[in-house]
Amino acid sequence: MTAVQQKTIPVLLSGRNALVKSLTGSGKTLAYAIPIIQKLQEITPQLKRSDGIHAVVIAPTRELVIQSYEYFETLCRAFTWLVPGYLIGGEKKKSEKARIRKGLSILISTPGRLLDHIEHTANLSFSNVKWFIIDEADRLLDMGFQQAIVKIAEKLNEHSSDSLQTVLLSATLTKEVENLAGTTLTKPAVIDLAALSEEVAMTCEDFVVPSQLEQHFIITPVKLRLITLSSFIVDKLALGGLKALVFMSTQDVVDFHSDLFSEMLQKLLADSGYSVLFFKLHGNMHQQDRVKVFNEFRECRAGILLCTVSICKCKSHNKGNNIVINFIGEL
């Protein structure tokens, strides 16, 4: 287990509310998914789909919702009577309503989509909900979902017949996150695994990065940015493969570089014996295309994903070199 799992799982199994501060990529999803599955599979007689939703998880982006759903789906293979499901924008609401009507034990959703169903889907019942998870709370607030989260929490507390166990997870504990915790949590256990050293905290208290992360930067004139990025990609491929995220400022910039690299650089690399795929991801793409790109990039051995900053939140399954490139114009 990771550190956050070691600290969080026993607290959640004891039934306490929790406020968890831990870095992105530290294993927070399993830290709350395992206790949920453990508690739900203990219920006797066994739960049925018709018993309705027992756990609600909200996450900031569609991609993170799908990824969290996949974790729950994997864990539930040993407990086939527990059925996870998800709701996200871009999907057909009619299909989602049918999914809810058929029965779900665990529901993962973006807050906007869940609030939409709360207001317009009559057969969405929260009477049996025992768990409420707010994942990536800092990002949810940055994206303007505070009011939606508060409304969802009020609905859950209003309709749940049991005491609701609430867990809020965040990479940072800003004043906004603390205010949200005060609104949604009652006497929570505070689990802080992202504490900085005292010296760093005094100078850079708002920025927390994993200790194993190495950061480098190159300052280059604007007219040399493209050749610098291209050379960096070629150089890393020559050293033994590359899995990279390249963050860009706008959707148009992503589209331009995706077309350019796919049509020219990918072919030049193939002629030199290097196999690499280029992908793009941004909010103006259809949901089916986003999911397809998301999954293809995770599974490929060598790939470069060009994306806008706000859209991308994924974990690579690749065990090779994983690199994040922030492609900015000026410093």
Side-chain angles (χ1 to χ4, degrees):
M1 292 190 291
T2 65
V4 67
Q5 292 161 8
Q6 293 177 28
K7 297 290 186 180
T8 304
I9 291 175
V11 172
L12 300 191
L13 288 176
S14 71
R16 293 190 64 186
N17 295 335
L19 173 60
V20 181
K21 178 184 177 184
S22 184
L23 303 177
T24 299
S26 59
K28 294 195 296 293
T29 305
L30 285 180
Y32 64 76
I34 289 174
I36 290 175
I37 299 297
Q38 173 67 21
K39 287 296 184 180
L40 295 185
Q41 66 85 30
E42 288 179 352
I43 296 175
T44 54
Q46 288 183 0
L47 294 178
K48 303 184 294 293
R49 297 185 72 158
S50 58
D51 292 331
I53 300 167
H54 284 71
V56 174
V57 180
I58 58 173
T61 67
R62 303 172 187 178
E63 286 73 25
L64 185 56
V65 166
I66 293 172
Q67 183 171 286
S68 300
Y69 164 75
E70 290 173 351
Y71 276 103
F72 277 102
E73 187 180 39
T74 300
L75 292 172
C76 287
R77 288 174 187 168
F79 312 102
T80 54
W81 59 93
L82 300 179
V83 182
Y86 65 89
L87 307 173
I88 54 175
E91 296 280 343
K92 293 182 179 179
K93 288 186 65 177
K94 185 176 181 181
S95 300
E96 292 182 338
K97 288 182 178 182
R99 204 179 303 158
I100 294 170
R101 192 181 308 113
K102 191 173 182 180
L104 298 171
S105 308
I106 302 163
L107 179 62
I108 308 104
S109 178
T110 49
R113 191 63 159 191
L114 180 56
L115 191 59
D116 187 9
H117 278 282
I118 288 174
E119 295 173 347
H120 300 103
T121 303
N123 62 342
L124 179 61
S125 173
F126 294 136
S127 59
N128 291 323
V129 172
K130 297 177 175 62
W131 293 81
F132 180 39
I133 310 297
I134 305 170
D135 199 2
E136 300 284 353
D138 47 354
R139 296 193 67 217
L140 284 165
L141 294 177
D142 288 341
M143 296 169 71
F145 285 125
Q146 181 172 0
Q147 292 301 318
I149 296 170
V150 172
K151 289 180 180 178
I152 292 169
E154 289 174 350
K155 284 289 183 180
L156 291 175
N157 283 299
E158 178 184 346
H159 294 284
S160 178
S161 58
D162 298 318
S163 57
L164 193 65
Q165 185 173 353
T166 304
V167 183
L168 187 149
L169 305 101
S170 178
T172 58
L173 291 185
T174 62
K175 290 183 178 178
E176 291 77 11
V177 173
E178 291 176 350
N179 290 338
L180 178 62
T183 304
T184 58
L185 299 175
T186 303
K187 297 181 180 179
V190 179
I191 302 169
D192 187 351
L193 294 168
L196 294 166
S197 66
E198 184 174 333
E199 178 181 353
V200 176
M202 291 175 61
T203 58
C204 195
E205 61 182 8
D206 293 331
F207 299 92
V208 183
V209 296
S211 58
Q212 72 272 20
L213 177 66
E214 294 183 5
Q215 300 190 76
H216 309 271
F217 66 90
I218 302 172
I219 300 177
T220 182
V222 173
K223 63 182 180 181
L224 296 180
R225 282 164 51 199
L226 181 58
I227 189 63
T228 301
L229 177 60
S230 301
S231 300
F232 179 87
I233 292 171
V234 173
D235 182 61
K236 290 299 179 181
L237 284 169
L239 293 176
L242 176 64
K243 197 76 170 286
L245 303 177
V246 182
F247 293 113
M248 295 180 164
S249 56
T250 67
Q251 297 176 3
D252 289 339
V253 174
V254 170
D255 287 334
F256 172 78
H257 286 86
S258 174
D259 292 341
L260 182 65
F261 287 156
S262 297
E263 291 298 322
M264 297 186 66
L265 185 57
Q266 184 170 331
K267 293 179 180 178
L268 291 172
L269 290 169
D271 292 340
S272 301
Y274 299 116
S275 177
V276 62
L277 298 174
F278 289 90
F279 305 91
K280 68 176 181 179
L281 190 66
H282 58 64
N284 203 33
M285 296 169 60
H286 292 298
Q287 180 59 29
Q288 290 182 341
D289 295 332
R290 288 169 60 173
V291 173
K292 181 181 179 182
V293 167
F294 180 75
N295 290 327
E296 287 179 351
F297 175 70
R298 288 198 311 170
E299 298 300 329
C300 75
R301 293 180 59 83
I304 297 170
L305 177 61
L306 312 174
C307 53
T308 49
V309 175
S310 62
I311 196 66
C312 190
K313 174 81 173 82
C314 65
K315 297 176 184 177
S316 170
H317 289 178
N318 179 63
K319 295 183 180 179
N321 296 324
N322 297 322
I323 296 175
V324 176
I325 306 168
N326 192 12
F327 190 54
I328 58 178
E330 300 179 26
L331 291 176

